[in-house]
Amino acid sequence: MLNKPISRRSLLGLGAAGAATLLFSGCASERADGKIEVEIVSYKQEAVSIFEHLMEEFNATHDDIYLNITSPADAVTIMKTRFVRENYPDVIGIGGDADYASFVDSSILADVSDYEGMANVQDAYKDILKSVTYIPMDGIYGVPYVANAAGMLYNKDMFEEKGWTIPETWDEMIDLFDEIKAEGEVLPIYLGYLDTWTILSPWNSITINMVPADHCRQVNAGTAKFADFYRKPAERMLQLLDYAEDGPFAYSYNDACTAFARGQAAMYPCGSFAVPQILSVNPDMNIGMFAMPSADNPDDRIVVSGVDLQWCVAETCEHKDAVYEVLSFLNEQENVQTYIDDQRALPCSEGDYELDPLFDDIKTFLDAGQVLDYLDHSYQSSMACDAQLQTMLLNGDIDAFLEKWDTDWQRYNRNVIRKVQEYESQQ
């Protein structure tokens, strides 16, 4: 039994989704053949084929443990439903985001500090996981596996042909936009803002370079407001509209990926997660990524990089040794390389990995640990921050945007704010 069982009220409003729990077994248990079954539920549906390959290889080489990895649709909802029913998978594969923070806060996840493979995880990604939790926590509650990155995707062949150089300041980037726009052959950028979540990519990349890393904590502690930080990033988001397709709110994420793939725009402010979609349209496209040049000092530029997949062990798991053996297998360098090759991801562990050429221009940032997490990983989904950004971009009213953001933050984060302020008062 958990020390602090999660409640339906705090975590769910799921309705019929609970029926999906019948698809899964409970926590690690002994099978009829005597093997210990380790169940992993992952939210990475796009990596199903990789997991099937790894599961088959593990089971063929282990006589005492049976690995069962599932990647259902709407996996996080299913996880939450199972938690309410106290039907816990041994391991969940999720990102380092607000859901993870909620699971940690609800005492669902086990401290995995004793996992020996944790020593091989890059400090930057351990720090990112710690930064996501609402208040500082003793221990660590996930094993970071792979990460992604966001910035400005660009057409490397087009840049080389035109003699364009990667901008290092915002003014340099706007000058490049003006040059491309004046030539009139292609658009400087494509946005595709019909799908509101796509707006968060440039917002994250621009804003992370312009605000204190702990600004959400400052707001929760009651010492600042978002209005103190978000005006200039909002102005720059509006500025991008002058260099994009007409009416970007009519075009979807798929439209944007397709237009960029077909050479209709020189750049696309998005993340590495978009590259497989782009290459499905143009497999021969030579894509690069550079850090969004929104920092006042070019030397202070930061690459947005979040934990895209981590392995979290349930507090109820009775066979932690078997789980750790599975995690060590998944973290073998050859297996991590297989995953990052297929998904164009970044490894969270140290090792002699061969990265996709996509990351060539941000490798110095990655090597130096000049990375910070996606800002929206600290936003409550119920606040619909992406929709608020879209509204601001449609009407251009930054004052109304800032006022609503601060008001809604207080409304949707009451429990978090209370926890943070209680913690701060005890320090």
Side-chain angles (χ1 to χ4, degrees), residues 152-155 158-159 162-184 186-189 243 266-267 290 293:
M152 185 69 80
L153 301 178
Y154 74 102
N155 187 321
M158 187 181 294
F159 265 61
K162 296 290 187 177
W164 299 330
T165 57
I166 293 175
E168 296 186 349
T169 67
W170 188 262
D171 287 344
E172 287 179 2
M173 188 169 75
I174 296 301
D175 288 344
L176 176 58
F177 286 176
D178 285 330
E179 179 184 345
I180 296 171
K181 187 174 181 179
E183 289 182 4
V186 300
L187 292 168
I189 54 175
Y243 301 97
M267 288 163 275
F290 61 81

Side-chain angles (χ1 to χ4, degrees), residues 35-279:
K35 293 184 179 182
I36 297 298
E37 179 168 343
V38 172
E39 181 197 13
I40 298 178
V41 177
S42 166
Y43 84 137
K44 298 296 288 184
Q45 270 198 301
E46 63 270 30
V48 166
S49 61
I50 297 298
F51 292 144
E52 288 177 347
H53 166 75
L54 293 174
M55 185 169 63
E56 181 179 349
E57 184 175 334
F58 181 90
N59 289 332
T61 55
H62 290 74
D63 296 329
D64 56 340
I65 303 171
Y66 178 82
L67 175 59
N68 178 24
I69 306 177
T70 55
S71 303
D74 206 8
V76 174
T77 297
I78 289 174
M79 292 174 193
K80 292 177 179 180
T81 307
R82 291 187 60 172
F83 296 157
V84 168
R85 295 175 180 238
E86 298 186 6
N87 176 24
Y88 306 97
D90 305 299
V91 180
I92 60 172
I94 56 172
D97 54 18
D99 286 319
Y100 163 73
S102 295
F103 297 163
V104 173
D105 185 62
S106 299
S107 301
I108 288 171
L109 306 180
D111 181 1
V112 291
S113 300
D114 60 339
Y115 171 54
E116 63 179 12
M118 192 62 70
N120 200 41
V121 176
Q122 297 179 48
D123 289 340
Y125 293 110
K126 294 179 190 176
D127 292 342
I128 282 175
L129 282 191
K130 291 178 181 178
S131 73
V132 173
T133 55
Y134 303 133
I135 59 175
M137 303 288 291
D138 292 330
I140 188 164
Y141 296 86
V143 181
Y145 191 58
V146 293
N148 53 28
M152 185 69 80
L153 301 178
Y154 74 102
N155 187 321
K156 296 179 80 169
D157 291 340
M158 187 181 294
F159 265 61
E160 183 176 357
E161 177 186 344
K162 296 290 187 177
W164 299 330
T165 57
I166 293 175
E168 296 186 349
T169 67
W170 188 262
D171 287 344
E172 287 179 2
M173 188 169 75
I174 296 301
D175 288 344
L176 176 58
F177 286 176
D178 285 330
E179 179 184 345
I180 296 171
K181 187 174 181 179
E183 289 182 4
E185 296 179 8
V186 300
L187 292 168
I189 54 175
Y190 214 94
L191 296 175
Y193 281 170
L194 175 63
D195 301 312
T196 55
W197 68 267
T198 62
I199 300 172
L200 291 170
S201 284
W203 173 257
N204 285 325
S205 297
I206 290 170
T207 307
I208 201 70
N209 283 284
M210 303 177 68
V211 301
D214 68 340
H215 73 288
C216 288
R217 186 202 60 78
Q218 291 185 39
V219 174
N220 288 333
T223 60
K225 293 184 177 181
F226 285 103
D228 301 330
F229 305 117
Y230 280 0
R231 180 174 297 277
K232 192 170 181 180
E235 291 172 350
R236 289 186 168 177
M237 288 289 289
L238 285 167
Q239 193 175 11
L240 293 183
L241 298 178
D242 295 333
Y243 301 97
E245 72 273 21
D246 291 335
F249 307 99
Y251 297 96
S252 69
Y253 167 72
N254 286 342
D255 294 329
C257 289
T258 299
F260 180 59
R262 291 176 175 171
Q264 294 174 231
M267 288 163 275
Y268 179 29
C270 202
S272 56
F273 50 82
V275 172
Q277 175 69 23
I278 296 166
L279 294 178

Side-chain angles (χ1 to χ4, degrees), residues 159-398:
F159 265 61
E160 183 176 357
E161 177 186 344
K162 296 290 187 177
W164 299 330
T165 57
I166 293 175
E168 296 186 349
T169 67
W170 188 262
D171 287 344
E172 287 179 2
M173 188 169 75
I174 296 301
D175 288 344
L176 176 58
F177 286 176
D178 285 330
E179 179 184 345
I180 296 171
K181 187 174 181 179
E183 289 182 4
E185 296 179 8
V186 300
L187 292 168
I189 54 175
Y190 214 94
L191 296 175
Y193 281 170
L194 175 63
D195 301 312
T196 55
W197 68 267
T198 62
I199 300 172
L200 291 170
S201 284
W203 173 257
N204 285 325
S205 297
I206 290 170
T207 307
I208 201 70
N209 283 284
M210 303 177 68
V211 301
D214 68 340
H215 73 288
C216 288
R217 186 202 60 78
Q218 291 185 39
V219 174
N220 288 333
T223 60
K225 293 184 177 181
F226 285 103
D228 301 330
F229 305 117
Y230 280 0
R231 180 174 297 277
K232 192 170 181 180
E235 291 172 350
R236 289 186 168 177
M237 288 289 289
L238 285 167
Q239 193 175 11
L240 293 183
L241 298 178
D242 295 333
Y243 301 97
E245 72 273 21
D246 291 335
F249 307 99
Y251 297 96
S252 69
Y253 167 72
N254 286 342
D255 294 329
C257 289
T258 299
F260 180 59
R262 291 176 175 171
Q264 294 174 231
M267 288 163 275
Y268 179 29
C270 202
S272 56
F273 50 82
V275 172
Q277 175 69 23
I278 296 166
L279 294 178
S280 71
V281 178
N282 181 1
D284 298 324
M285 188 173 188
N286 190 6
I287 306 171
M289 176 189 291
F290 61 81
M292 188 67 76
S294 52
D296 290 337
N297 184 339
D299 293 336
D300 294 334
R301 284 172 294 163
I302 296 168
V303 169
V304 176
S305 180
V307 176
D308 189 43
L309 178 62
Q310 61 174 322
W311 307 118
C312 301
V313 181
E315 176 65 29
T316 54
C317 183
E318 298 178 354
H319 301 280
K320 219 173 178 184
D321 53 346
V323 167
Y324 283 177
E325 187 167 344
V326 168
L327 297 188
S328 294
F329 169 80
L330 294 174
N331 278 291
E332 289 177 7
Q333 183 161 317
E334 180 181 356
N335 293 331
V336 175
Q337 186 70 58
T338 297
Y339 188 99
I340 66 175
D341 286 347
D342 184 77
Q343 296 292 308
R344 287 178 171 80
L346 294 166
C348 291
S349 54
E350 302 284 357
D352 186 20
Y353 295 105
E354 183 177 344
L355 300 185
D356 191 282
L358 168 71
F359 301 112
D360 285 354
D361 296 303
I362 63 169
K363 191 173 185 303
T364 55
F365 296 90
L366 300 174
D367 290 344
Q370 288 177 250
V371 298
L372 284 175
D373 195 19
Y374 293 78
L375 291 179
D376 64 290
H377 284 178
S378 297
Y379 300 162
Q380 295 290 338
S381 59
S382 56
M383 189 173 152
C385 296
D386 51 351
Q388 293 199 36
L389 283 164
Q390 187 188 62
T391 299
M392 181 272 294
L393 294 171
L394 280 165
N395 62 32
D397 192 339
I398 295 178

